[in-house]
Structures are given as structure tokens and as C-alpha cells.
């Protein structure tokens, strides 16, 4: 019985698929004294709360979420995130 259960579990692992979520933010520095500080467009796999905490907290940086999407695979070994599906839609609309 145990052997059958182990075989079923091992077989099911081969069907597992990894995925991750990507977030696109507009980031603005709250500390910089220049009134015309430019916001930055950032793509990250960190969720909004974690991104803000990792970059100094709400007193130092303002994080505004623009969009999010899911990518297949993983981000191990410094792989780039997948392209935004919104980008594909904009290309199709413009054609």
C-alpha cells in the first residue's frame, strides 16, 4: 500500500507546473527634496507590501500598483520575468 501511494505521489510531481506573479509599480521617492523628482516604472516579483518594506518603508518610498500578471515557470538562476500580456494587447490594437 505504501509503495503504491509513493508511486502515485511521485508520478503526480511530474505534472506540477510552477508559476509566479509579476507586479508593475510606479515608485516615487518621498525623501528627495526636489519637487520634480521623476517617478520610476518598476517590474518586480515582490508584492506591494513586501516591495515597500524592502525599499525602506512607507516613509521613504511611495508604491502605486499599476498592473499584475502571472508568468509560467520560475525566476530561479536570475531569469528575467515574462513579458506583460498587456503589452501584447496594445500591439494588437495598434495594428
Amino acid at each position: 500500500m505504501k509503495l503504491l501511494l509513493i508511486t502515485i505521489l511521485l508520478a503526480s510531481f511530474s505534472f506540477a507546473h510552477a508559476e509566479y506573479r509579476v507586479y508593475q509599480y510606479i515608485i516615487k521617492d518621498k525623501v528627495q527634496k526636489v519637487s520634480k523628482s521623476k517617478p520610476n516604472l518598476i517590474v518586480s516579483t515582490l508584492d506591494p507590501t513586501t516591495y515597500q518594506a524592502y525599499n525602506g518603508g512607507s516613509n521613504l518610498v511611495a508604491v502605486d500598483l499599476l498592473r499584475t500578471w502571472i508568468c509560467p515557470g520560475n525566476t530561479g538562476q536570475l531569469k528575467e520575468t515574462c513579458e506583460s500580456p498587456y503589452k501584447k494587447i496594445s500591439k494588437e490594437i495598434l495594428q
Side-chain angles (χ1 to χ4, degrees), residues 23-40:
Y23 302 88
Q24 186 178 44
Y25 303 112
I26 291 182
I27 306 298
K28 187 157 185 180
D29 185 9
K30 287 185 171 181
V31 177
Q32 193 173 15
K33 299 291 182 192
V34 180
S35 62
K36 301 215 179 199
S37 65
K38 287 178 127 182
N40 295 317

Side-chain angles (χ1 to χ4, degrees), residues 64-83:
D64 293 318
L65 179 63
L66 288 178
R67 40 178 79 119
T68 182
W69 61 93
I70 294 177
C71 297
N74 63 57
T75 57
Q77 300 175 353
L78 302 175
K79 292 180 186 173
E80 293 290 323
T81 58
C82 69
E83 187 176 88

Side-chain angles (χ1 to χ4, degrees), residues 7-52:
T7 304
I8 291 171
L9 285 174
L10 288 175
S12 68
F13 290 142
S14 65
F15 297 111
H17 300 284
E19 63 182 23
Y20 60 96
R21 182 164 290 280
V22 177
Y23 302 88
Q24 186 178 44
Y25 303 112
I26 291 182
I27 306 298
K28 187 157 185 180
D29 185 9
K30 287 185 171 181
V31 177
Q32 193 173 15
K33 299 291 182 192
V34 180
S35 62
K36 301 215 179 199
S37 65
K38 287 178 127 182
N40 295 317
L41 189 63
I42 301 293
V43 174
S44 174
T45 56
L46 296 176
D47 64 86
T49 305
T50 305
Y51 186 90
Q52 192 169 41

